[in-house]
Amino acid sequence: GTGAEEESSSDGDTAQFLQEEKEAMTEQLSKIEDQLTNEMLRTSDKDNQSDAILEIRAGTGGDEASLFASELLSAYEKYAKVQGWKWEVLTTTKTELGGLRESSVSISNAYNSEEGVDGVFGQLQYESGVHRVQRVPINDIRIHTSAVSVAVLPAMDDNSSENEISSS
């Protein structure tokens, strides 16, 4: 064969090798992305069994949002009482109209739950996010949209070490 034929053959081999390498890397990247997504979405069983800190903050919507935040906090408190959980208000900031600007609450299971049943955090973790309501206030004819942010965090045990916190 001539030099040109060998070079052409070599280019074809290199192109095929690079294509196979690209496909292998793409597959590996996909697996890593799946693992990362699963890790980010997964909460540990220990977290699911733990108590929770509930934080509610009024968002957009002014006074209506603070009234909605207050009603939402009341609803969570009633739910906690029905579940037999201990409800302890940590901080609260109210508005002039009796609404709620923000509040943090500790919710704990007064009775240790039986094995396999989620604790407070396990049951409330999916409440985290923005809650929105649309309604017509008493003194208006227009629809008002209000938003409230809710954060549910696993409560730390009193005997948790710094290493456990930084490694999770």
Side-chain angles (χ1 to χ4, degrees):
T2 66
E5 288 175 359
E6 287 177 17
E7 193 175 308
S8 174
S9 172
S10 174
D11 286 349
D13 291 345
T14 302
Q16 182 179 352
F17 170 75
L18 290 175
Q19 182 61 35
E20 290 170 0
E21 195 66 17
K22 178 183 174 188
E23 290 170 4
M25 291 292 175
T26 303
E27 186 176 325
Q28 188 176 5
L29 178 63
S30 179
K31 286 179 183 176
I32 292 171
E33 285 174 341
D34 289 346
Q35 288 174 336
L36 181 61
T37 301
N38 289 338
E39 190 63 31
M40 289 171 58
L41 294 177
R42 182 177 63 88
T43 57
S44 73
D45 290 340
K46 191 180 93 180
D47 284 346
N48 284 344
Q49 296 302 321
S50 70
D51 296 332
I53 302 294
L54 173 74
E55 295 181 352
I56 296 180
R57 285 180 170 61
T60 57
D63 292 333
E64 278 297 311
S66 66
L67 292 172
F68 176 45
S70 180
E71 292 171 3
L72 200 55
L73 184 68
S74 175
Y76 283 123
E77 183 177 12
K78 288 175 186 169
Y79 180 76
K81 292 214 184 316
V82 166
Q83 296 299 315
W85 295 337
K86 181 181 173 200
W87 178 270
E88 180 186 352
V89 176
L90 303 174
T91 63
T92 295
T93 307
K94 296 212 174 249
T95 64
E96 294 172 10
L97 293 178
L100 185 70
R101 192 174 323 282
E102 63 183 15
S103 185
S104 295
V105 179
S106 170
I107 308 171
S108 56
N109 194 345
Y111 320 100
N112 286 334
S113 61
E114 61 263 20
E115 196 65 34
V117 176
D118 281 342
V120 177
F121 176 75
Q123 292 184 48
L124 294 180
Q125 64 183 326
Y126 300 110
E127 291 295 315
S128 289
V130 176
H131 295 249
R132 189 176 81 119
V133 67
Q134 291 184 306
R135 56 183 170 192
V136 178
I138 295 170
N139 59 353
D140 206 337
I141 58 170
R142 297 171 295 159
I143 294 176
H144 284 250
T145 300
S146 303
V148 170
S149 70
V150 174
V152 180
L153 309 165
M156 299 303 298
D157 292 338
D158 291 336
N159 55 7
S160 289
S161 72
E162 289 294 320
N163 286 342
E164 287 180 303
I165 295 168
S166 63
S167 68
S168 36

